[in-house]
Amino acid sequence: MNALYSLLFVFLLVLIPLFGVDAAHLRTFFGVCIPTTAFIIFVVGFIYKVIIWGRSAVPFRIPTTGGQFKSFDPKLFPQNKLDCPQTGAQTFFRMVLEVFAFRSLFRNTAVSLHQGKDHPIVAYKSSKWLWLFAITFHYSFFIIALRHLRLFLEPVPFFVNGLDFVDGLLQIGAPTMYLTDLGLLAGVLLLLGRRLINSRINYISYASDFFPLFLILAIALSGIYMRYYAKVDVIAIKELTMGLMTFNYVVSDVIGVSFFIHVFLVSCLMAYFPFSKLMHFPGVFLSPTRNLPNDSRAKHHVNPWNDPNIKAHAYADYEKQFGVPMAEVGLPLDNPENGKAPEEEA
């Protein structure tokens, strides 16, 4: 039901500009006011969330690890410097691979239960398909966003022209079909299908999981329709987008309604972004499970807000104080003498 509600909500979002642009004569509202407001919400919300996360206290090292820690005998137990980094440089390379290659997702495994001859058998195997869908989706989305800079900048930067050339390298169709258009569409469909088809993933999925996928799918489909079928006036669109940058906009009557639908959906995504799970984009850089070295055994980290008047209570002192009740309930003691009552010692 969460998927159905999300789909219906996105469908209603499409209907708003479809009937509002021409029927209500709101071309300026949908072409200027909505995207400008959405951009402001995006920037302010993004910065606010990053500041709040950045101010969160992280007094101790809590990185997630998946390899051998640096040992006293590195020849016998060699350290896994990427899965268990102990220095800032090792952590940096771990972050680079995490951000640009989704390394932790690449190491994803799938678990299955099989009935053996005498007892059930739990089996694990490498599962790379989720990594493939995710990296295709994210890189396609990123390149498409960069390609759209040609609508806001004049002259167009050289790297945008380079991306445009490489993206349309196959030279299929007129206008040229972009590889990232297919990549984005395939990626979002596969990620959406995973939540719909896999019963375990579907069971734990909320509307907040389906809505951004359906919204991005609608954005991709409206953009593809606008480029390959509606054939909108790109010059009039660039005149509008350049006007938004200089606060001297011109909303031409030759711009089709498909453009306003596309812009409205993108505006909804921008306004929704800072308050959604999509904020994992900046969150990965601020995650203490990723951006901290695992050096808690090599360095002593003191909680910065500890009361200096309260002295540290070592385990030996703790055992000396509570040794008798610990011995009574059968807890092991490092020093058996601490488990004896005072009269026994006497």
Side-chain angles (χ1 to χ4, degrees), residues 202-247:
N202 183 271
Y203 182 77
I204 61 174
S205 296
Y206 295 94
S208 58
D209 297 307
F210 288 108
F211 174 69
L213 290 174
F214 279 121
L215 183 57
I216 292 172
L217 178 62
I219 291 172
L221 291 175
S222 62
I224 290 172
Y225 172 79
M226 189 169 53
R227 173 174 172 80
Y228 300 106
Y229 299 99
K231 307 292 179 63
V232 295
D233 192 327
V234 179
I235 296 179
I237 290 175
K238 182 158 186 176
E239 185 181 17
L240 170 59
T241 55
M242 291 292 293
L244 291 175
M245 300 294 292
T246 59
F247 301 100

Side-chain angles (χ1 to χ4, degrees), residues 3 29 84 143 156 161 198 211 240-241 255 305 313 315 333 342:
F29 177 75
C84 192
I143 293 173
V156 179
N161 289 325
N198 190 319
F211 174 69
L240 170 59
T241 55
I255 300 177
W305 56 77
H313 199 57
Y315 177 75
L333 299 173

Side-chain angles (χ1 to χ4, degrees), residues 2 27 34 59 79 84 114 127 133 138 149 164 167 181 188 205-206 220-221 241 246 277 288 291 294 315 323 336:
N2 288 325
R27 300 176 73 85
I34 291 292
Q79 178 195 3
C84 192
H114 305 276
S127 180
F133 298 165
H138 284 85
L149 290 176
D164 193 88
D167 208 358
D181 291 346
V188 71
S205 296
Y206 295 94
L221 291 175
T241 55
T246 59
K277 295 181 179 180
N291 63 13
N294 184 32
Y315 177 75

Side-chain angles (χ1 to χ4, degrees), residues 1 7 72 89 95 97 101 110 128 168 171 177 200 211 234 288 325 330:
M1 293 301 292
L7 179 61
F72 290 109
M95 286 293 297
L97 291 174
K128 300 290 189 291
Q171 296 291 314
M177 181 188 69
R200 290 172 295 178
F211 174 69
V234 179

Side-chain angles (χ1 to χ4, degrees), residues 147 150 160-171 176 178:
R147 280 199 290 104
R150 66 170 49 253
V160 176
N161 289 325
L163 284 175
D164 193 88
F165 172 76
V166 174
D167 208 358
L169 196 61
L170 296 182
Q171 296 291 314
T176 304
Y178 287 126

